[in-house]
Amino acid sequence: MDVQFDSESYWNRSSRAAFSFDDEDEVDIVSTELPSNKWENNGIFSDDTISEASFENSPALNHLSIKAILSEEALKLVLQEQNLDERVIHKGVSPDEELKLLRRQIQSTLYSPDLDATAQKLLQGKTAPLEMFRSLHEKQQLLDTLLSNGGGHAVVTVLLFLKRTLNAAQFHAILKQRPKALEQYLSYLRESGDVSSHIDLLQRFGRHQEAALKQFQAALASEDAPSRKQHLQRLVDAYANAGVGIIPLYEQVFHAALKMQLLMEREGTAGKQLGDQPTPIELLYVCCQQNNNWKEQDMLKPIAPQRFAADQQISPAQYEWTALNERAQAQAYADLECIFERVPTWHPLKSKQFHISFDLTLAVVRLYELHAPSTVLQLFLSKMGNSGEKLALAQKVKCIKAVIDAMAGLKQQQELKQLRETLPERSEEQFYCENALKSLQSKRWTTDNIKLKL
């Protein structure tokens, strides 16, 4: 027997409490407001303690039409919500399973959301229907509840739901008001590899320094050289005209990277000796290899080591260290002194002087590791002003002449005599030591003479 009732007014009646159709959440759906004689002949609602398990064994259910439960309008509403939720009822599903799915759709569509229960499920890593959170206020409440409890992946899940169901202005306003949510969403975009969205969001919230670095990283990550050059050119042009105020250092780095890319394309030096994406220091090393005039470098050539270092904003210390390593490994020791010669800025007409931009001790130790001859080690040790430090370092790198120089500087005549006895007879080092002793004795005699006259 068909049962007729006003389904629309029943479902929208304010006195109806939310209910669940799941087996474990059975509730009484019969209200005292409805005359019981309307339902006494209907097998579905005649027992308010009945479970879905008993439906499966009910002979009447096998012949029950869905229209006996839902009106045309209610069914249409459920189907619309099903499309929004993207939960498609697959072909071949039994009528019983379809009925259960539709009941759950009604629950999530027509009833107020349970904020605490939904948040708890999400925090536990379980799935929960979110479409019941319809108003902006309800969505914000759910997000705030998760944020106050740590959130994690649950916050990202809700943010993705908000992005899908809100317009861009509302979504960005929510992120602006909740910095913690913004950081978690940016982290999600970064981990998911959505570089474009990540950069757009950083720029939208005025974080131009971070956006610029992200764009630079993306440009350098391009697979081939032409694409890399194209992206770098766009980056340089964009920030040259944008007026967003990135720090000057970033602009210098962008221009330097573009120059290096153009140099590699024009000269073809890196393609033969290095990989597809060499660092500036690696390319500087190649420039040092190809340079054949260290006394007077041609600064008009982009591959001249000094010119390349200036274009790439490579510090003097990095330039000198790279050049020292390359020349020492090439055993071109005559060029080493030229690397460390500078004309004093305070006196341009004065001759060049030795100048090193990093610790001289590091240079001596590195030359020793690269098996530089003792004459080269002595040259660098002679630039040390502290005789005590010079003596300790000379002994460490086994440079006998530098040891003798340091002892002479410390006026250690007795130590020099002891050292002379350990040196090979009539060797160059022994003669050098004897001359140092004679020099000390001569200076002492001269000093004593002066004292006597006074």
Side-chain angles (χ1 to χ4, degrees):
M1 172 170 55
D2 292 339
V3 181
Q4 301 295 328
F5 68 100
D6 188 355
S7 62
E8 187 66 20
S9 61
Y10 174 76
W11 292 116
N12 289 287
R13 189 172 301 153
S14 60
S15 62
R16 302 311 304 159
F19 65 94
S20 171
F21 285 115
D22 292 324
D23 295 344
E24 66 274 16
D25 298 325
E26 298 167 13
V27 295
D28 184 6
I29 63 171
V30 180
S31 171
T32 56
E33 296 176 4
L34 292 176
S36 60
N37 57 3
K38 287 189 177 183
W39 303 97
E40 59 189 3
N41 294 326
N42 192 314
I44 297 176
F45 299 99
S46 58
D47 186 357
D48 58 0
T49 62
I50 195 167
S51 68
E52 286 186 2
S54 62
F55 289 170
E56 298 176 359
N57 300 322
S58 172
L61 186 63
N62 295 331
H63 305 287
L64 184 64
S65 170
I66 191 66
K67 293 182 179 180
I69 302 174
L70 300 174
S71 67
E72 290 289 344
E73 292 182 1
L75 181 58
K76 183 177 180 181
L77 187 61
V78 168
L79 293 175
Q80 289 175 347
E81 185 64 15
Q82 175 180 305
N83 291 334
L84 286 174
D85 199 26
E86 297 181 352
R87 289 178 285 187
V88 180
I89 299 177
H90 301 287
K91 294 181 179 180
V93 174
S94 66
D96 296 350
E97 290 295 326
E98 184 176 353
L99 185 59
K100 291 178 183 179
L101 289 172
L102 290 174
R103 283 172 169 171
R104 293 189 180 99
Q105 289 283 9
I106 296 173
Q107 179 182 351
S108 63
T109 303
L110 301 177
Y111 290 86
S112 299
D114 190 333
L115 177 63
D116 294 334
T118 302
Q120 190 64 27
K121 282 186 177 181
L122 292 173
L123 290 170
Q124 292 173 354
K126 299 178 180 179
T127 58
L130 301 178
E131 282 73 13
M132 64 183 71
F133 293 87
R134 295 186 173 279
S135 70
L136 179 61
H137 177 67
E138 290 173 341
K139 294 173 181 178
Q140 290 175 323
Q141 275 189 317
L142 177 60
L143 179 60
D144 291 336
T145 301
L146 294 174
L147 287 171
S148 64
N149 287 279
H153 291 294
V155 170
V156 175
T157 300
V158 172
L159 286 173
L160 293 175
F161 167 68
L162 298 184
K163 188 176 187 304
R164 180 165 57 89
T165 57
L166 298 176
N167 60 47
Q170 291 174 321
F171 181 64
H172 292 143
I174 288 175
L175 292 178
K176 185 176 181 180
Q177 296 164 3
R178 296 163 178 82
K180 187 177 178 181
L182 174 60
E183 291 305 320
Q184 294 201 37
Y185 189 64
L186 285 170
S187 177
Y188 161 76
L189 293 176
R190 181 171 58 251
E191 292 175 4
S192 63
D194 192 348
V195 178
S196 178
S197 298
H198 191 192
I199 293 172
D200 289 344
L201 200 60
L202 288 171
Q203 291 175 330
R204 179 176 292 277
F205 286 95
R207 294 162 65 167
H208 299 291
Q209 315 297 338
E210 296 175 68
L213 282 182
K214 191 68 180 176
Q215 287 175 295
F216 183 59
Q217 291 171 350
L220 293 182
S222 301
E223 295 182 357
D224 55 276
S227 298
R228 193 156 49 249
K229 184 188 75 172
Q230 184 180 24
H231 287 129
L232 286 171
Q233 186 67 63
R234 288 178 181 173
L235 180 61
V236 169
D237 294 342
Y239 282 99
N241 303 321
V244 295
I246 62 170
I247 60 178
L249 176 61
Y250 288 0
E251 291 189 65
Q252 294 173 5
V253 170
F254 299 163
H255 280 90
L258 180 59
K259 284 181 180 179
M260 190 176 80
Q261 202 64 44
L262 294 171
L263 175 66
M264 290 170 57
E265 184 180 279
R266 183 170 59 251
E267 300 292 338
T269 54
K272 298 176 182 178
Q273 303 182 43
L274 299 173
D276 186 50
Q277 297 188 43
T279 64
I281 298 298
E282 289 173 333
L283 198 53
L284 172 61
Y285 191 92
V286 174
C287 292
C288 291
Q289 287 178 320
Q290 297 191 348
N291 184 49
N292 52 19
N293 185 358
W294 286 90
K295 288 186 177 180
E296 297 293 339
Q297 294 189 36
D298 186 356
M299 297 301 287
L300 296 178
K301 290 184 177 180
I303 61 171
Q306 284 186 347
R307 163 75 182 275
F308 180 80
D311 288 343
Q312 294 300 310
Q313 305 293 321
I314 295 173
S315 69
Q318 289 176 310
Y319 162 71
E320 292 169 7
W321 178 260
T322 304
L324 179 142
N325 277 269
E326 190 282 321
R327 290 289 84 192
Q329 288 178 342
Q331 297 183 356
Y333 303 114
D335 295 331
L336 288 175
E337 197 168 4
C338 300
I339 295 171
F340 298 97
E341 285 182 342
R342 296 286 188 280
V343 176
T345 55
W346 54 271
H347 197 330
L349 298 179
K350 197 170 182 180
S351 61
K352 292 182 178 180
Q353 297 179 351
F354 182 87
H355 178 273
I356 187 168
S357 302
F358 58 93
D359 190 353
L360 185 55
T361 302
L362 295 176
V364 173
V365 172
R366 183 57 179 160
L367 288 169
Y368 174 70
E369 292 172 346
L370 295 174
H371 309 291
S374 59
T375 53
V376 175
L377 298 176
Q378 185 186 8
L379 171 65
F380 280 83
L381 284 164
S382 68
K383 308 300 181 182
M384 296 185 70
N386 188 306
S387 296
E389 293 178 359
K390 182 196 297 186
L391 177 60
L393 184 57
Q395 290 172 334
K396 179 179 179 180
V397 299
K398 300 180 177 63
C399 183
I400 301 300
K401 287 186 177 181
V403 170
I404 294 170
D405 290 338
M407 286 181 174
L410 293 169
K411 300 180 181 179
Q412 296 178 348
Q413 189 171 356
Q414 188 63 34
E415 286 80 357
L416 279 171
K417 290 179 180 180
Q418 294 174 355
L419 176 62
R420 182 183 59 183
E421 299 303 320
T422 64
L423 297 174
E425 193 70 26
R426 302 183 65 82
S427 65
E428 183 181 352
E429 287 83 2
Q430 191 181 60
F431 284 126
Y432 193 82
C433 187
E434 288 177 351
N435 289 332
L437 279 168
K438 290 177 182 179
S439 178
L440 272 180
Q441 291 170 352
S442 175
K443 288 179 180 178
R444 181 177 180 181
W445 180 87
T446 305
T447 305
D448 290 344
N449 234 7
I450 294 172
K451 288 180 179 178
L452 287 172
K453 288 181 180 180
L454 291 173

